[in-house]
């Protein structure tokens, strides 16, 4: 990246927005003979695949999901009608841009997908997804970094505050992240101010901060000090994902930009009040995908984006209108190079006899098979390198075929 000013011009950002971006120095990338792009978006916390990709046509779905069940036949009390894909599956109503991609044949949801780790620990499951092996401690480096290292002249970009495991290793990786917000959450300031009201040094500082930062109005707070209904969205809680994805798309669209990228997001662990939380989070995800697609438009036809999470959620809802840690989930493959417009994977069904341990969707697709298929078909990595270097110990797991348009046409 030649200059910060050029980057901001390419991003189309105003001078005010420019204050929220910090470019890490030295982000320059070499081009190679192939001009494809590959991005992984990691959704940390365990996205409920049954909520993002509701199998409304499955006879067991409505019974197990109760008030969380979604359908394209009409709205419920809490949400609009789901967006129909086929006779079995729909998309959550917040995923409007994703639905448009599906209609254009550029979105491929893969149902009942999971890493080889079928436990219920966030940290172990994420490690397994990122290290590319069959166990959480199978490698100290990431499979996406090893893919970068296996491709001559290719660099990667991690849009993250710290280097994630998926991008750690010997491959050439740059990192970029926006700075922390200049404004402090006013609710946090209000809560802390009484603790330091008698402090001779900090009392005045807190009063000034509240005055300059904009204290929360009484309309935004209830009589008991609880957060108002619209305030959670204003606070953020991962609300910068569209900005991060726009930055990733802008970097990767450059002729000398990175061909491989990584972005991460948090807040997908929905043990309670899932419908409201995921309505907000999925809308944010949809906006982020639209931001990336727009920024990456010059290379969109040669781009593949994969959205994954560490595990699915329980098939049955719990007592707090949420779901708990499960097994089979969903992964989304999107981009101009994708053979989409269909739902991939083998659906195991939701009748009680079909469930894993009588509680989860039984996973039928190993994440690594999809990753291997994409790296082979889209980036040109050979099966030998995939089975021994990028995904060690996976020789018996065949790369999934038919993921890209060119491969289907062939």
């Amino acid at each position: 990246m030649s200059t910060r000013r050029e980057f901001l011009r390419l991003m189309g950002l105003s001078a005010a927005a420019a204050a929220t971006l910090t470019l890490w120095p030295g982000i320059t990338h070499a081009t190679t003979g192939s001009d494809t792009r590959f991005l992984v978006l990691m959704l940390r916390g365990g996205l409920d695949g049954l909520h993002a990709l509701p199998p409304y046509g499955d006879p067991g779905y409505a019974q197990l999901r109760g008030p969380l069940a979604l359908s394209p036949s009409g709205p419920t009390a809490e949400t609009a009608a789901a967006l129909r894909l086929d006779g079995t599956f729909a998309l959550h109503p917040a995923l409007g841009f994703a639905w448009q991609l599906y209609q254009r044949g550029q979105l491929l949801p893969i149902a009942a997908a999971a890493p080889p780790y079928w436990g219920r620990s966030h940290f172990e499951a994420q490690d397994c997804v990122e290290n590319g092996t069959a166990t959480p401690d199978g490698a100290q480096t990431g499979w996406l970094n090893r893919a970068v290292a296996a491709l001559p002249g290719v660099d990667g970009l991690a849009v993250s505050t710290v280097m994630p495991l998926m991008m750690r290793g010997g491959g050439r990786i740059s990192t970029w992240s926006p700075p922390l917000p200049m404004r402090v959450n006013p609710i946090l300031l209000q809560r802390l101010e009484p603790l330091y009201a008698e402090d001779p040094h900090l009392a005045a500082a807190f009063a000034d901060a509240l005055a300059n930062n904009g204290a929360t109005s009484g309309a935004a707070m209830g009589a008991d000090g609880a957060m108002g209904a619209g305030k959670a969205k204003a606070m953020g809680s991962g609300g910068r994902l569209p900005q991060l994805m726009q930055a990733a798309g802008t970097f990767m669209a450059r002729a000398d930009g990175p061909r491989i990228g990584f972005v991460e997001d948090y807040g997908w662990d929905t043990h309670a009040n899932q419908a409201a939380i995921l309505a907000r989070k999925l809308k944010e995800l949809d906006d982020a995908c639209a931001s990336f697609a727009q920024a990456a438009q010059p290379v969109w036809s040669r781009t593949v984006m994969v959205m994954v999470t560490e595990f699915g959620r329980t098939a049955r809802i719990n007592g707090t209108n949420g779901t708990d840690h499960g097994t089979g989930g969903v992964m989304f493959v999107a981009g101009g190079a994708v053979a989409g417009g269909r739902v991939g994977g083998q659906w195991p069904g939701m009748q009680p006899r079909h469930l894993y341990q009588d509680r989860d969707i039984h996973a039928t697709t190993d994440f690594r098979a999809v990753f291997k298929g994409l790296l082979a078909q889209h980036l040109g990595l050979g099966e030998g390198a995939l089975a021994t270097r990028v995904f060690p110990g996976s020789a018996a797991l065949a790369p999934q075929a038919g993921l890209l348009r060119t491969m289907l046409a062939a």
Side-chain angles (χ1 to χ4, degrees):
M1 198 66 61
S2 57
T3 67
R4 184 172 184 270
R5 180 174 298 175
E6 179 186 3
F7 167 74
L8 296 173
R9 177 183 60 80
L10 289 169
M11 290 281 284
L13 297 172
S14 66
T20 68
L21 289 171
T22 298
L23 182 63
W24 284 57
I27 296 185
T28 56
H29 305 276
T31 56
T32 64
S34 178
D35 200 25
T36 54
R37 301 292 189 272
F38 183 72
L39 176 78
V40 175
L41 171 57
M42 181 78 177
L43 307 176
R44 300 189 187 275
L47 164 65
D48 182 10
L50 295 174
H51 209 72
L53 184 73
Y56 72 94
D58 188 296
Y61 170 70
Q63 180 180 0
L64 291 178
R65 280 278 141 158
L68 289 184
L70 298 169
S71 171
S73 62
T76 67
E78 294 189 6
T79 186
L83 304 170
R84 186 184 186 276
L85 300 181
D86 56 28
T88 302
F89 294 98
L91 286 176
H92 187 280
L95 297 175
F97 177 75
W99 185 82
Q100 293 177 30
L101 290 180
Y102 185 91
Q103 301 307 308
R104 298 203 296 263
Q106 297 180 358
L107 176 72
L108 174 63
I110 300 178
Y117 169 86
W118 284 16
R120 306 183 192 281
S121 162
H122 286 296
F123 304 108
E124 292 183 350
Q126 289 177 26
D127 284 350
C128 189
V129 172
E130 295 187 74
N131 70 32
T133 75
T135 61
D137 58 355
Q140 301 302 309
T141 59
W143 66 265
L144 198 53
N145 182 288
R146 298 193 295 270
V148 171
L151 291 165
V154 170
D155 290 4
L157 170 68
V159 180
S160 177
T161 52
V162 297
M163 187 69 77
L165 173 58
M166 194 179 290
M167 295 296 262
R168 294 178 198 164
R172 298 193 304 175
I173 308 294
S174 299
T175 59
W176 178 89
S177 66
L180 293 173
M182 296 299 294
R183 286 170 53 87
V184 180
N185 179 358
I187 296 176
L188 178 61
L189 285 176
Q190 277 197 333
R191 298 279 172 83
L192 290 176
E193 185 187 25
L195 298 177
Y196 299 95
E198 304 301 323
D199 188 288
H201 302 290
L202 295 179
F206 271 95
D208 290 343
L210 278 168
N212 296 327
N213 199 58
T216 305
S217 69
M221 301 285 289
D224 59 353
M227 192 183 306
K231 197 63 186 176
K233 183 174 182 180
M235 282 180 61
S237 182
R240 299 198 300 176
L241 182 59
Q243 177 190 353
L244 301 181
M245 290 289 281
Q246 181 190 14
T250 300
F251 283 126
M252 297 179 75
R254 291 177 58 95
D256 60 347
R259 286 181 55 201
I260 294 178
F262 174 89
V263 180
E264 60 187 348
D265 186 50
Y266 297 83
W268 296 92
D269 195 15
T270 51
H271 291 282
N273 193 28
Q274 175 172 301
I277 294 172
L278 286 189
R280 174 178 60 85
K281 289 293 293 179
L282 289 171
K283 178 61 167 64
E284 180 186 319
L285 175 63
D286 199 60
D287 290 344
C289 291
S291 295
F292 176 79
Q294 181 178 15
Q297 190 58 42
V299 295
W300 180 249
S301 64
R302 306 186 300 277
T303 294
V304 170
M305 172 175 58
V306 187
M307 291 167 274
V308 294
T309 189
E310 66 261 33
F311 45 52
R313 316 290 298 189
T314 49
R316 298 177 182 87
I317 66 173
N318 60 28
T320 55
N321 285 324
T323 54
D324 301 314
H325 302 171
T327 305
V330 65
M331 62 193 309
F332 293 99
V333 185
V338 174
R342 58 196 173 96
V343 178
Q346 179 182 354
W347 182 241
M350 290 189 67
Q351 296 291 347
R353 67 182 183 275
H354 298 145
L355 299 180
Y356 173 66
Q357 296 184 345
D358 193 38
R359 57 176 281 170
D360 302 334
I361 297 300
H362 203 292
T364 57
T365 295
D366 189 320
F367 279 1
R368 296 173 300 167
V370 177
F371 295 148
K372 289 174 73 172
L374 292 172
L375 292 179
Q377 299 165 30
H378 194 58
L379 297 177
L381 278 171
E383 283 201 38
L386 288 170
T388 61
R389 184 173 180 182
V390 181
F391 299 100
S394 68
L397 185 65
Q400 187 162 325
L403 298 170
L404 304 184
R405 292 179 182 276
T406 54
M407 297 303 292
L408 284 186

